[in-house]
Amino acid sequence: MTETHLNHIAGEWRPAAAGAVFEDRNPADDRDLIGAFPDSGPEDVAAAVETVSSAWPAWAAASPEVRADVLFKAADIIARRADEIAAELTREEGKTLTEARNEARRIAANFRLYAGEALRLNGETYASEAAQIVFSLRQPVGVVAVITPWNFPLSMAARKIAPAIAAGNGVIFKPSEVTPLMGQRLVEVLLEAGLPPKLLALLQGRGAAVGKAITQHPGIDAVTFTGSFAVGREIARAVSTDTRLQLEMGGKNATIVLADADMAKAVGIIERGAFGLTGQACTGTSRVLVARPLYDALVERLAAAAGKFKVGPGTEDGVQMGPVATRGQYDRILSYVAIARDEGARVATGGEALRGNGDARLAYGNFISPAVIADLPAESRLLREEVFGPVVAIRPFDTLDEAMVLADETEYGLAVSLVTNHLPSVLRFARETRHGIVKVNSPTTGVSLNAPFGGFKHSSNQAAKEQGGATVMDFYTRIKTVYLGG
Ligand code: NAD
């Protein structure tokens, strides 16, 4: 029997007002129905906003220790249940069990980080005439809407919900419709940790319906969104001018292999960045720019490495790459491989649909072999557009100047990595590139949870950096300046 899941509104679990549901299936085997979830709409949004609006002032007035305590407890619960949650994450999103465990453990660390932030929400005092003291108060924004993607359904949500709560806000959380169960698990953990039940609403459903209704609701004070540029732009148009907005969007990240690079090291770095998480990371490596003398050898060695990648259900031992998360993404990725061929590029390896290729393990899932694409024309779409799958496009360059131009030749500006020991080139790149994250001798993926995260150009609206760093709480708080006279 299909398990039917519920929204969490006004401190109770309930179905969508209209009673509609949508299905959630395992991307490694689409016969496996995970459950049915509420297909919410504007009525559910109205009910959620009403209760969260009335609940947050009391939470904001609670002592910082109380807020920190809930987040520390939530971290302990997640750490205890990491394996169980990871198994569900693999079933719902497709990533390998190792990748899923890393994500589950990471959110425990995230919660601890933001628990600390609750205790560090400081204002400042300012030089003033003797008869008064001028100081700033840091206060919550109010009702924060959290809209998240499916690729890191736990960590993207945790790094928004936890700082929002730490600062004393109430939260309306809309997880991706691809990973509703992970959204529900996160809410369950926070409630079990003692969060006031009316402070956090969970609204399941489709972006175009409930997502849109949230962004248009006048009672929302801030929207923090991670997802595609197309949707981010739509949200920016939908919200009112006094709604605070944070947009973290796509990437077209490049690894740049300079002439002095060690070939084996470069291949290892690119493999991890391009095919880890099935290429479905916003910081995933989807371009490689390589010094021309190394080009042929790199294409050959990377293709050989990709050809050995073990693709299969994320639950199987030894599998390095799980399925793509949705059938829509599967079709889209394959269409990009076809575009590359049409453009005259050479598919050095992979890019094949593995569904129905005779292997019973792969017959019902969104499995694609990792692709290495070479000899692309300069204007190729694969060098500019986000594919969001295990497809890497390689292009040679002749000079560092040219590499710098090529690296920035996309509308995105999230992560770039360099493989080199040549310090002057690294320093120049780090200063001049229009990317928010610059990595040296490591993949474009993989970031420290306590460091600022965000991109330039279409990757981020630069409202405030996410994740860590001195300004991370700026998005979730307002500053009020007080002039205290005697
Ligand atoms: P998406 O933009 O399709 O959806 C993201 C979320 O927005 C989902 O919850 C969706 O339901 C909701 N949504 C869709 N339409 C909406 C609307 N009109 N109004 C309000 N909400 C709406 O993205 P996705 O396919 O879930 O995720 C993949 C994308 O996310 C990629 O572009 C990837 O680069 C990006 N991403 C970025 C980061 C980052 O930190 N920069 C991290 C992970 C993923």
Side-chain angles (χ1 to χ4, degrees), residues 21-242:
V21 294
F22 66 94
E23 287 186 345
D24 178 23
R25 287 181 183 272
N26 180 344
D29 182 347
D30 47 31
R31 295 168 302 178
D32 177 22
L33 178 62
I34 294 168
F37 288 80
D39 197 359
S40 315
E43 274 179 78
D44 304 295
V45 174
V49 174
E50 195 185 321
T51 42
V52 174
S53 304
S54 62
W56 75 261
W59 178 245
S63 86
E65 286 93 334
V66 168
R67 298 200 296 270
D69 223 39
V70 166
L71 291 169
F72 279 127
K73 281 198 186 107
D76 292 344
I77 296 168
I78 285 164
R80 213 170 47 237
R81 290 205 200 133
D83 285 354
E84 181 194 317
I85 292 176
E88 288 185 323
L89 171 54
T90 294
R91 182 177 174 212
E92 186 173 55
E93 195 270 349
K95 61 186 62 176
T96 66
L97 271 179
T98 307
E99 291 168 341
R101 282 189 197 114
N102 287 342
E103 183 172 346
R105 287 186 194 127
R106 175 142 182 147
I107 59 164
N110 260 316
F111 278 168
R112 291 192 181 106
L113 173 74
Y114 297 114
E117 293 296 343
L119 303 168
R120 272 192 295 269
L121 281 174
N122 302 324
E124 289 178 330
T125 55
Y126 303 93
S128 164
E129 58 195 80
Q132 66 178 357
I133 297 176
V134 181
F135 62 96
S136 60
L137 283 178
R138 202 177 262 274
Q139 298 182 316
V141 176
V143 180
V144 177
V146 169
I147 303 178
T148 49
W150 45 262
N151 65 328
F152 288 105
L154 296 171
S155 72
M156 293 297 124
R159 78 186 195 198
K160 295 176 187 295
I161 295 173
I165 286 171
N169 297 287
V171 171
I172 297 200
F173 173 33
K174 198 220 82 67
S176 166
E177 56 272 48
V178 179
T179 49
L181 185 62
M182 288 300 98
Q184 181 180 319
R185 292 292 179 252
L186 214 49
V187 170
E188 287 167 352
V189 164
L190 283 160
L191 295 175
E192 189 183 331
L195 193 73
K198 291 184 178 169
L199 193 77
L200 173 60
L202 170 71
L203 293 175
Q204 302 283 13
R206 290 166 299 121
V210 67
K212 197 167 180 174
I214 291 171
T215 58
Q216 290 175 337
H217 195 290
I220 301 282
D221 298 297
V223 177
T224 172
F225 164 84
T226 295
S228 61
F229 173 73
V231 171
R233 184 173 47 189
E234 216 176 309
I235 292 175
R237 288 175 183 154
V239 297
S240 76
T241 43
D242 53 2

